[in-house]
Amino acid sequence: MTFEFLKHDIKQQKARARYRARQCVAEQSGREVTINGKQYLNFSSNDYLGLNHHREINKALQEGAERFGTCASGSSLITGYSYAHQSLENDICEWLNKPKCLLFASGFSANTAMMQVLGNKTCHIYLDKLSHASLIDGALASDAKIKRFLHNDTAQLSRLLSKSQTNTSAEETNNIIVSEGVFSMDGDQAKVSSLAQIAKQHQAMLYLDDAHSIGVVGEKGQGSSANTEVDVVMATFGKALATSGAFVACDESLADYLINFSRHYVYSTAISPALAWATKKSIELAQKEHWRRIKIQELSLLLMSKLSNKVKLIQSASSIHAIVIGDETSTLNVCQKLREKGIWLTAIRPPTVPINSSRLRVTITSSHNAKDINYLANCINEVIA
Ligand SMILES: *Cc1c(COP(=O)(O)O)cnc(C)c1O
C-alpha cells in the first residue's frame, strides 16, 4: 500500500495527545461563541478590538461589494488592483508613516513571500526562536543562511552578527533581523528599540511580524513601529482588524522589487476589493477608538491580579496571556474542565509550542467585561490549584 504514513502519523498524533480536530462554530459575537448547541465565554478569539460584526464595517463591506465587486478578478499586475486596494494601501502608509504598502492574501503568504524575496544567496536571516511557522517555512525555502537566536535574546543576536561580520570575506552579505512584535503564543513583546539599534549598528534590515500588535499596540494602534523606526512591517487583517488578508509596509525600492519578483504577489489573485474597502473602515475605527486598547489593558491587569500565584502566567502587556501547564494531557484536561464551566479555551500543544510547554492561551478582547474576567480567573484558580 502507498501513502501509509497518512494513517500512521495520525495514529501517532493521537497517542501523543496532539491530535487536532476542528469545531464548527455556529455563532460568534464578541465575547461569546456557540459550539455544538452550547454557548461559552470565548477566550480564544483573535478579535482583540472586538470589531468583528461592527455595523460600520459591515456597511462598508456591502458598499465595497456594490462599488468594486466581491472579487478582484485578477492578480494585482493584471487587472486586480482597484481603487479600493490603492486607497487601503494609502491609509496604511499614512497610519504607519511608511512610503509604500502592498496587500497579500494572508499573513502566511506575506511572510513566506518576504523571506523568499529577501533571502537570496547573499542573505543571512536572523530569526527569533519563537517566530511564526510562516517565517520559518519562508526562510527554509529561501537561499539564505538561517540563524536562530534565543527568544528575545538581543545579546546573543548581537554576538551572532558581530561574529558573522568578522568571518565573512569581502563578498556582499545582507543581514535581516526577523521577529514578531507581540509573540503569538507567549504574548510578550520584542525589544523593538534594541532590535532597531542592533540592526543599525550592523547595517541589517529589521523585519517585524505585527500580526498581534497591529491595532493593539501604540496610541493609534499602529503596532510595534509606533515609537521606533522599523524597515519592514508585516501585519494581518484577520486579527484585531476583523477582516482578512495582510499587508507589508516598506520603502519604495522593496515594494518595487516585490511587484516585479515576488511570486506570491505576482501569481495570486488580489484580495477581495469589497474586503479591502471594509478594512479601510476597521483601520479608521482602530485608530480613533483608543478606549478599546485601554480596556484590553485594564482587563489584562485585572486577570493578572486575580490569578492565584500557583498559576504560571507569562507576563505580557498585550491581549495574549499564556498559562503554561506542561504536558499535553494535563493541558487538555484543564481545557475540558473549563469547558464544563462554560469557558472556551483551546489547548496549545507542540509543535506549535516547545515540548512540555503546552498551555492555555487566553486572549482578552475589548468585548469582555470585568465580570467575565473575574469568572475566568476563579475558574482557572479552581481547576489548576
Ligand atoms: C496569524 C499569524 C500569521 C498568519 O496570518 P494569516 O493572515 O492568518 O495567514 C502570521 N504571523 C503571526 C505571528 C500570526 O500570528
Side-chain angles (χ1 to χ4, degrees):
M1 220 185 84
T2 53
F3 292 100
E4 262 180 90
F5 70 88
L6 297 174
K7 283 199 172 118
H8 171 268
D9 289 0
I10 288 290
K11 207 170 141 196
Q12 192 179 51
Q13 187 88 332
K14 284 181 176 164
R16 287 176 171 169
R18 289 185 191 172
Y19 182 67
R20 285 133 154 105
R22 299 170 304 168
Q23 298 284 351
C24 180
V25 170
E27 255 180 77
Q28 175 156 215
S29 67
R31 36 191 279 283
E32 286 169 331
V33 61
T34 308
I35 295 169
N36 291 332
K38 206 178 154 205
Q39 202 174 57
Y40 300 86
L41 267 178
N42 186 4
F43 287 103
S44 278
S45 167
N46 290 335
D47 179 20
Y48 304 129
L49 296 179
L51 290 177
N52 199 11
H53 291 284
H54 196 289
R55 258 194 49 233
E56 285 184 51
I57 298 173
N58 286 356
K59 207 171 119 220
L61 180 67
Q62 197 173 356
E63 228 176 67
E66 276 159 22
R67 195 164 155 194
F68 308 100
T70 49
C71 181
S73 307
S75 102
S76 298
L77 271 70
I78 310 294
T79 54
Y81 182 62
S82 73
Y83 176 70
H85 299 103
Q86 186 186 51
S87 174
L88 171 59
E89 287 177 359
N90 289 342
D91 288 359
I92 295 169
C93 287
E94 214 168 290
W95 190 24
L96 269 65
N97 195 21
K98 280 269 169 234
K100 282 282 170 195
C101 166
L102 293 182
L103 307 177
F104 286 82
S106 73
F108 205 107
S109 167
N111 274 340
T112 315
M114 296 307 291
M115 293 304 104
Q116 283 180 359
V117 157
L118 295 167
N120 76 4
K121 281 195 193 97
T122 67
C123 182
H124 292 185
I125 301 179
Y126 293 81
L127 269 176
D128 186 287
K129 258 260 150 64
L130 295 189
S131 297
H132 192 261
S134 52
L135 291 166
I136 297 169
D137 284 8
L140 288 173
S142 77
D143 293 321
K145 247 199 201 122
I146 305 168
K147 304 185 183 186
R148 313 274 304 262
F149 58 95
L150 292 173
H151 176 49
N152 267 344
D153 191 340
T154 46
Q156 191 198 21
L157 171 65
S158 276
R159 282 197 302 276
L160 286 171
L161 277 156
S162 305
K163 208 167 102 194
S164 132
Q165 227 160 19
T166 43
N167 285 351
T168 34
S169 49
E171 66 200 79
E172 181 193 354
T173 330
N174 296 297
N175 294 320
I176 171 165
I177 299 170
V178 178
S179 174
E180 293 183 25
V182 165
F183 285 84
S184 50
M185 294 302 143
D186 289 52
D188 58 344
Q189 283 177 272
K191 301 173 190 163
V192 180
S193 57
S194 309
L195 291 177
Q197 211 177 352
I198 294 169
K200 202 165 176 195
Q201 190 185 342
H202 295 275
Q203 292 172 313
M205 183 187 276
L206 177 58
Y207 181 102
L208 285 187
D209 175 338
D210 254 359
H212 303 279
S213 325
I214 203 77
V216 179
V217 174
E219 278 295 304
K220 288 185 166 178
Q222 61 277 61
S224 304
S225 61
N227 303 310
T228 313
E229 181 75 21
V230 176
D231 300 304
V232 184
V233 178
M234 190 299 296
T236 71
F237 300 138
K239 283 157 183 152
L241 297 175
T243 64
S244 171
F247 71 82
V248 169
C250 58
D251 68 11
E252 305 252 358
S253 69
L254 179 51
D256 206 20
Y257 193 89
L258 287 166
I259 291 169
N260 282 277
F261 297 108
S262 168
R263 297 167 71 82
H264 276 266
Y265 194 75
V266 175
Y267 298 108
S268 189
T269 302
I271 68 168
S272 156
L275 214 51
W277 201 246
T279 307
K280 272 172 64 70
K281 182 53 79 176
S282 51
I283 288 176
E284 181 193 319
L285 292 166
Q287 288 192 64
K288 71 178 183 202
E289 298 191 349
H290 189 56
W291 65 266
R292 294 177 187 271
R293 287 178 280 280
I294 306 266
K295 198 161 166 209
I296 292 170
Q297 285 161 16
E298 285 173 357
L299 294 176
S300 297
L301 288 175
L302 180 64
L303 176 68
M304 290 190 243
S305 74
K306 295 281 173 176
L307 287 176
S308 121
N309 43 24
K310 287 194 189 117
V311 175
K312 279 194 242 161
L313 182 80
I314 297 177
Q315 289 299 317
S316 106
S318 71
S319 273
I320 304 164
H321 302 280
I323 296 171
V324 178
I325 311 275
D327 68 83
E328 291 90 335
T329 312
S330 320
T331 312
L332 287 173
N333 284 340
V334 169
C335 282
Q336 186 50 41
K337 285 183 187 155
L338 290 172
R339 220 161 269 185
E340 285 157 18
K341 293 175 185 296
I343 288 172
W344 194 272
L345 264 180
T346 310
I348 310 287
R349 291 165 286 166
T352 310
V353 291
I355 288 172
N356 273 326
S357 77
S358 289
R359 63 194 64 190
L360 308 177
R361 177 180 178 270
V362 179
T363 56
I364 291 180
T365 76
S366 60
S367 308
H368 290 123
N369 59 43
K371 201 170 140 241
D372 299 337
I373 304 299
N374 280 320
Y375 181 67
L376 172 72
N378 288 338
C379 292
I380 291 177
N381 288 339
E382 200 182 311
V383 167
I384 291 185

